[in-house]
């Protein structure tokens, strides 16, 4: 998919670019395995909370051969316990902001996603990985206690027993196992990952934005156990165009 960069922002080793209707956030600290500092978490939260209005799909990726190792542990080593708690609050704000993004989100995973990086990947709607993808939660080695928001995401994806096993044993899942468990929606060769991610974004762009928003909100409510009766089954403008396109045997123009 050929696109033109319309907007570019950079904070240290992170960059955001808007290429047509596709926003791409890249974490690019390869020497630190793309570990995020507190400032990077804050920037990620701000970008998710204030996406340009033209953004219709958001892709999150890591530069090089890592998705992200999570938070920068070397930075944590310089913090007091109180400051570490504040850092985790910042981290959770960024992950929650990714969950709340109104448009479809895709994590493009070429390498390990550990700790908070694993949870960040789970906060995205879809995940595509290469054979280098790997997922783990080695918090027991660091004395980190997982709070409810992190555990909720693990349990929603893996179930309670698998989530407990993941932390109890500090195990990690390779790409094939991640695909089998549903952590990955798709597994593709490394050299095809970027192109396939853009192809998926292109397929999403062909759908009704109203339909996508509705299903995303409904999934969020189901996962949170929220019961809410919907008043409308259709979006008037998109519904009329969708039905008309179907009867006229042409692609819909949403």
């Amino acid at each position: 998919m050929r696109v033109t960069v319309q907007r570019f922002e950079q904070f240290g080793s992170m960059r955001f670019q808007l290429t047509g209707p596709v926003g791409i956030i890249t974490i690019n600290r390869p020497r630190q395995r793309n570990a995020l500092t507190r400032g990077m978490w804050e920037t990620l939260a701000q970008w998710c909370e204030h996406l340009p209005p033209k953004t219709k799909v958001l892709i999150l990726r890591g530069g090089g051969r890592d998705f992200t190792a999570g938070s920068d542990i070397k930075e944590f080593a310089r913090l007091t316990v109180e400051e570490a708690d504040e850092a985790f609050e910042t981290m959770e704000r960024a992950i929650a902001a990714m969950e709340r993004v109104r448009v479809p989100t895709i994590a493009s995973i070429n390498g390990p996603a550990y700790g908070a990086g694993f949870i960040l990947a789970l906060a995205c709607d879809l995940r595509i990985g290469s054979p280098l993808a790997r997922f783990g939660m080695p918090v027991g080695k660091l004395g980190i206690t997982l709070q409810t928001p992190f555990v909720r995401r693990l349990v929603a994806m893996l179930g309670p027993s698998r989530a407990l096993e993941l932390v109890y044993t500090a195990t990690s899942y390779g790409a094939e196992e991640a695909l089998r468990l549903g952590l990955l929606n798709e597994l593709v060769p490394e050299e095809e990952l970027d192109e396939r991610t853009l192809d998926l974004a292109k397929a999403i762009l062909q759908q009704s934005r109203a339909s996508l928003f509705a299903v995303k909100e409904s999934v969020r409510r189901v996962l949170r156990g929220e019961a809410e009766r919907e008043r409308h089954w259709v979006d008037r403008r998109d519904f009329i165009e969708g039905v008309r396109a179907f009867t006229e045997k042409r692609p819909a123009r949403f």
Side-chain angles (χ1 to χ4, degrees):
M1 182 171 63
R2 294 184 179 181
V3 288
T4 302
V5 176
Q6 296 176 319
R7 178 168 173 173
F8 183 88
E9 296 180 33
Q10 186 155 346
F11 174 85
S13 300
M14 291 182 65
R15 66 176 182 264
F16 171 84
Q17 64 186 65
L18 182 64
T19 53
V22 180
I24 303 174
I25 294 175
T26 302
I27 306 165
N28 195 31
R29 292 183 80 203
R31 292 185 180 180
Q32 293 79 26
R33 305 189 68 186
N34 291 335
L36 284 87
T37 64
R38 283 187 291 174
M40 292 170 70
W41 283 115
E42 289 171 357
T43 298
L44 178 61
Q46 291 171 9
W47 284 347
C48 290
E49 291 168 350
H50 303 287
L51 280 180
K54 292 183 179 180
T55 308
K56 295 183 180 180
V57 178
L58 179 64
I59 295 171
L60 178 66
R61 62 187 298 274
R65 290 191 161 189
D66 285 278
F67 180 65
T68 168
S71 284
D72 189 334
I73 300 302
K74 290 183 178 179
E75 182 185 59
F76 268 66
R78 299 190 293 269
L79 304 180
T80 65
V81 172
E82 290 74 19
E83 289 172 334
D85 277 339
E86 292 175 1
F88 273 103
E89 289 293 335
T90 300
M91 186 191 315
E92 169 56 26
R93 177 193 161 202
I95 294 171
M98 179 61 73
E99 277 185 324
R100 290 194 302 269
V101 169
R102 289 172 60 92
V103 302
T105 54
I106 306 170
S108 183
I109 304 170
N110 186 37
Y114 288 143
F118 184 3
I119 302 299
L120 181 58
L122 294 183
C124 296
D125 300 329
L126 304 175
R127 286 161 297 281
I128 300 180
S130 79
L132 298 177
R134 195 162 194 89
F135 300 86
M137 185 59 62
V139 291
K141 296 180 178 180
L142 299 169
I144 296 172
T145 55
L146 291 181
Q147 297 301 305
T148 301
F150 272 37
V151 175
R152 171 180 59 79
R153 299 178 182 104
L154 286 174
V155 172
M157 183 59 64
L158 294 170
S161 184
R162 282 282 191 179
L164 289 169
E165 178 190 40
L166 192 68
V167 177
Y168 283 177
T169 63
T171 190
S172 61
Y173 301 127
E176 293 285 352
E177 181 72 354
L179 181 66
R180 188 181 70 81
L181 292 172
L183 295 172
L184 288 176
N185 296 89
E186 190 173 345
L187 180 59
V188 299
E190 181 184 3
E191 64 273 14
E192 297 177 13
L193 181 60
D194 288 344
E195 187 66 28
R196 176 57 192 143
T197 303
L198 288 174
D199 284 345
L200 178 59
K202 185 177 180 180
I204 291 171
L205 290 171
Q206 295 174 354
Q207 313 307 313
S208 159
R209 295 187 72 184
S211 297
L212 299 178
F213 173 74
V215 72
K216 182 162 182 170
E217 282 298 293
S218 294
V219 167
R220 182 187 65 81
R221 291 172 186 151
V222 168
L223 292 176
R224 290 182 176 275
E226 299 175 6
E228 184 173 329
R229 184 174 179 81
E230 316 292 347
R231 293 187 176 183
H232 302 288
W233 286 89
V234 300
D235 176 87
R236 180 175 177 81
R237 184 177 61 183
D238 281 7
F239 176 72
I240 292 173
E241 168 60 13
V243 172
R244 183 173 294 162
F246 179 82
T247 58
E248 295 174 0
K249 298 182 180 181
R250 60 171 175 80
R253 295 184 289 270
F254 294 119

